[in-house]
Amino acid sequence: MQLSIVFAVLLACILNWPVTRTRANPRMITMPLKRLYAPRTDVHPQLLLQQHINRGNKRLARMTGRSEPPEHELRAEMHKRMYILESASVSASSATTVARSNFSRRHSRYSKPSTKAASNVSSTGTGSGVSALDIQAAENGGLTHAKQPTANNTLGLAIDADDVGYIATIQIGTPPQNFNILMDSGSADFWVGSESCQSQQGTCGNHTFLGSKSSSSFVQSNQNFNVTYGSGNVAGVLCQDNVNMAGLQLKNHTFGVANEESVQFSADTVPFDGLMGLAQSTLSNEKVPTPVESLASNGLISSAISSFKISRLADQLNDGQVTFGGLDSTKFVASTLITIPNVSKIGFWEGALNAITVNGQNTGMTGRTAILDTGTTLIIAPPADTLAVMAMLGGKCDTQQCTIPCTSNASVALSFGNASFTIDPRDMVVLPVDVNDPTGDCTAGIQPGTIGTDTEWLVGDVFLKNAYLSVDTKNNQISLAKLS
Ligand SMILES: *[C@@H]1O[C@H](CO)[C@@H](O)[C@H](O)[C@H]1NC(C)=O
Ligand SMILES: *[C@@H]1O[C@H](CO)[C@@H](O)[C@H](O)[C@H]1NC(C)=O
Ligand SMILES: *[C@@H]1O[C@H](CO)[C@@H](O)[C@H](O)[C@H]1NC(C)=O
Ligand SMILES: *[C@@H]1O[C@H](CO)[C@@H](O)[C@H](O)[C@H]1NC(C)=O
Ligand SMILES: *[C@@H]1O[C@H](CO)[C@@H](O)[C@H](O)[C@H]1NC(C)=O
Ligand SMILES: *[C@@H]1O[C@H](CO)[C@@H](O)[C@H](O)[C@H]1NC(C)=O
Ligand SMILES: *[C@@H]1O[C@H](CO)[C@@H](O)[C@H](O)[C@H]1NC(C)=O
Ligand SMILES: *[C@@H]1O[C@H](CO)[C@@H](O)[C@H](O)[C@H]1NC(C)=O
Ligand SMILES: CC(=O)N[C@H]1CO[C@H](CO)[C@@H](O)[C@@H]1O
């Protein structure tokens, strides 16, 4: 595998690994990729991935109002994957632990990637396997911080691991404390951990908590709430406190403090302290307006609009952001903006998906809808649709998952309104089945959802890295545009 000099040197610095120049082209560097990744002793990326898939399936179930897949089914999926890992003699001894619960870190999770490496990294992924950066991030977890946005009313979105999730820093309480918050367009509850938070492991980990000890403006109610996500659940009480998002001061906002968190949220290595749902509040369990709805009703922004630029770790641009009250016109090509009605009856952001093409060839699928969800990593599609797309991609599906060659440069495009949005081939190859073989088979960016209607897609970051997304509560509409 060849990588551009800057990228290779960056990696070499991070990994303390020697790089060798090839004679043929002194500008290019060959890296002994296989040697970069010692067998890990904790959670294998494939297990993390199964967790993402399970999570997607459960979300799909919840949003369509059907019963969620029973816990034992999900566990069975995990066990199947463990079995595969064991037979491939990769240590799965701690595979029952939760994602990233004990990751060894070869470098600081808060290390700042060089922006100089940015420009040409993208050329290394397509057609030549999963980038070394992604594999390393999948193994190490942690956050890659975003650059400070220049637009008003805008928060940078840090990247969790290898594009697993997107996290903003906001301030809550008096005096204001920083909280890292997962920004989720696919749910509608906002909560952070409370000072008395407990988990099955004891405390709720190395996180920032909210309560009367740390905030003089904190007021707790006796109204309970709970939320079950695809992965994990929280329960607690509603409270009021001051919330500052990108300089917008929401006084006495009502939201949740979690007194109980499952380990998916409480583990030390989970890089966020709470979650902000930015779907419509009709979907919320807390039954209170979302922060963006409150910003609008208090006149702090002109309309309840949230707009997302989801960034890709491999690009090394770190320009992810969420804008409240409007769109950041510097992030998209204005002439490509399309606006479509929301069709979800229960408060998701769901639009008509008019066509799906593979390498420009129409799959012939019609009448599909897509829920646009920044909080889901992959695309979860109905099984029949997934199989059809995989067949055209040259991929295959077994009972565990769908895979495609890591070297695939096939392009899948989704059409909304009258525009077609092409998914970068790099986003379709998520992680090598064998991390030591980054040009072998890769988990595909589209996986089958076992529960849902046969026309409903759950479209997460694999797609959203390729479009600017804006959602508008008052007008009940969704806009998408090509990235600038
Ligand atoms: C976590 O990793 C450390 C260092 O590798 C090890 O000593 C410890 O036993 C591990 N803890 C668990 C719970 O696996
Ligand atoms: C990136 O690639 C472009 C063309 O592919 C080239 O003009 C430019 O010099 C490269 N930049 C770096 C930093 O290598
Ligand atoms: C941000 O808002 C201020 C005050 O309204 C305005 O002067 C400035 O031009 C805005 N900046 C951007 C980048 O829109
Ligand atoms: C807790 O997290 C902070 C960063 O948020 C880090 O600096 C610190 O080392 C962590 N402490 C432990 C015990 O993990
Ligand atoms: C969760 O909240 C619902 C009502 O919002 C309630 O019916 C249910 O009992 C709660 N579950 C738990 C485990 O507290
Ligand atoms: C804060 O909001 C709650 C609930 O809406 C309300 O009961 C309370 O009076 C408010 N407090 C202040 C100081 O505005
Ligand atoms: C994929 O790459 C091959 C050669 O590497 C090229 O012939 C083909 O046109 C590419 N396909 C797409 C869809 O870019
Ligand atoms: C999509 O439709 C709009 C008007 O509804 C039009 O302005 C635009 O040119 C169309 N785009 C394409 C690619 O056809
Ligand atoms: C929550 C909400 O307003 N949902 C709407 C989304 O759009 C559909 C179709 O226009 C409406 O029926 C829903 O009420």
Side-chain angles (χ1 to χ4, degrees):
M1 169 175 287
Q2 294 197 310
L3 301 168
S4 72
I5 288 176
V6 274
F7 183 43
V9 168
L10 165 73
L11 267 179
C13 294
I14 290 171
L15 300 171
N16 258 330
W17 203 266
V19 285
T20 53
R21 273 163 201 276
T22 57
R23 282 190 202 103
N25 181 351
R27 288 197 58 250
M28 302 305 287
I29 283 181
T30 301
M31 297 209 41
L33 264 192
K34 290 190 181 195
R35 293 162 62 202
L36 289 178
Y37 310 107
R40 41 184 304 157
T41 54
D42 42 27
V43 180
H44 190 280
Q46 283 296 318
L47 285 168
L48 297 186
L49 209 49
Q50 185 61 54
Q51 287 163 351
H52 299 331
I53 295 166
N54 287 347
R55 180 171 172 222
N57 286 343
K58 289 186 79 176
R59 289 180 77 104
L60 196 61
R62 192 162 89 88
M63 80 200 172
T64 51
R66 266 174 280 287
S67 62
E68 293 184 351
E71 206 59 48
H72 70 263
E73 258 178 42
L74 299 178
R75 263 201 295 272
E77 287 302 312
M78 293 299 298
H79 286 173
K80 273 189 238 163
R81 189 160 315 286
M82 280 163 59
Y83 176 76
I84 290 173
L85 293 173
E86 277 157 1
S87 57
S89 62
V90 172
S91 165
S93 56
S94 61
T96 49
T97 61
V98 167
R100 299 197 292 285
S101 58
N102 194 18
F103 270 30
S104 57
R105 293 199 169 77
R106 290 188 195 87
H107 67 96
S108 161
R109 59 196 279 204
Y110 297 107
S111 73
K112 215 173 153 198
S114 157
T115 48
K116 277 169 80 185
S119 50
N120 285 2
V121 167
S122 56
S123 62
T124 64
T126 303
S128 54
V130 176
S131 81
L133 199 63
D134 276 321
I135 296 177
Q136 215 211 335
E139 294 204 326
N140 288 350
L143 294 182
T144 300
H145 287 295
K147 287 187 301 207
Q148 182 62 40
T150 52
N152 285 330
N153 303 343
T154 299
L155 291 167
L157 290 177
I159 303 171
D160 180 1
D162 56 329
D163 300 341
V164 165
Y166 293 86
I167 290 159
T169 303
I170 65 170
Q171 292 74 42
I172 309 176
T174 311
Q177 283 193 96
N178 281 340
F179 286 79
N180 286 339
I181 305 289
L182 185 83
M183 303 304 267
D184 182 10
S185 69
S187 68
D189 291 292
F190 172 35
W191 59 266
V192 298
S194 88
E195 282 168 356
S196 51
C197 185
Q198 294 286 307
S199 69
Q200 278 187 344
Q201 288 67 36
T203 68
C204 291
N206 182 20
H207 292 115
T208 303
F209 300 105
L210 184 66
S212 50
K213 282 188 216 137
S214 56
S215 172
S216 60
S217 46
F218 175 84
V219 179
Q220 187 169 306
S221 81
N222 55 9
Q223 211 178 322
N224 294 320
F225 82 97
N226 62 66
V227 192
T228 301
Y229 297 95
S231 59
N233 51 71
V234 294
V237 292
L238 298 187
C239 69
Q240 279 97 37
D241 208 337
N242 302 331
V243 176
N244 179 357
M245 311 200 295
L248 298 164
Q249 303 274 358
L250 211 43
K251 295 261 185 265
N252 196 37
H253 181 66
T254 301
F255 57 102
V257 277
N259 293 321
E260 295 163 48
E261 292 179 7
S262 63
V263 70
Q264 291 87 347
F265 299 112
S266 66
D268 276 346
T269 45
V270 171
F272 54 88
D273 308 309
L275 188 147
M276 186 182 293
L278 292 167
Q280 302 191 18
S281 56
T282 41
L283 183 65
S284 83
N285 285 10
E286 292 170 355
K287 299 290 170 225
V288 296
T290 65
V292 72
E293 289 170 5
S294 289
L295 286 173
S297 61
N298 285 298
L300 293 165
I301 55 177
S302 56
S303 193
I305 293 171
S306 312
S307 305
F308 301 87
K309 151 77 194 188
I310 298 297
S311 62
R312 180 186 293 112
L313 183 69
D315 287 342
Q316 289 281 280
L317 296 173
N318 305 328
D319 59 349
Q321 61 175 47
V322 54
T323 298
F324 302 108
L327 292 78
D328 178 359
S329 60
T330 66
K331 294 291 179 191
F332 63 94
V333 180
S335 62
T336 64
L337 187 74
I338 60 103
T339 298
I340 57 176
N342 179 39
V343 300
S344 170
K345 298 276 191 285
I346 56 172
F348 284 99
W349 295 112
E350 182 169 11
L353 174 54
N354 295 335
I356 299 122
T357 61
V358 178
N359 291 334
Q361 197 187 337
N362 201 317
T363 59
M365 292 168 199
T366 56
R368 305 305 196 261
T369 60
I371 286 139
L372 300 169
D373 181 5
T374 61
T376 287
T377 310
L378 305 179
I379 296 173
I380 309 293
D385 288 1
T386 304
L387 289 176
V389 169
M390 282 301 135
M392 290 173 73
L393 278 174
K396 54 183 191 284
C397 301
D398 61 20
T399 51
Q400 272 97 44
Q401 63 165 335
C402 298
T403 57
I404 59 173
C406 296
T407 51
S408 167
N409 63 357
S411 69
V412 174
L414 306 184
S415 295
F416 294 95
N418 59 5
S420 173
F421 295 88
T422 302
I423 299 172
D424 190 308
R426 288 174 295 162
D427 300 328
M428 269 300 146
V429 295
V430 179
L431 273 181
V433 172
D434 173 356
V435 273
N436 291 313
D437 188 9
T439 56
D441 275 344
C442 264
T443 296
I446 299 180
Q447 295 292 334
T450 51
I451 294 181
T453 71
D454 56 6
T455 56
E456 212 163 14
W457 288 45
L458 178 58
V459 172
D461 300 316
V462 160
F463 172 77
L464 294 172
K465 283 182 269 185
N466 299 280
Y468 191 77
L469 169 68
S470 182
V471 293
D472 178 340
T473 301
K474 179 160 160 275
N475 295 311
N476 197 26
Q477 64 192 19
I478 302 164
S479 296
L480 288 164
K482 299 205 170 139
L483 295 169
S484 49

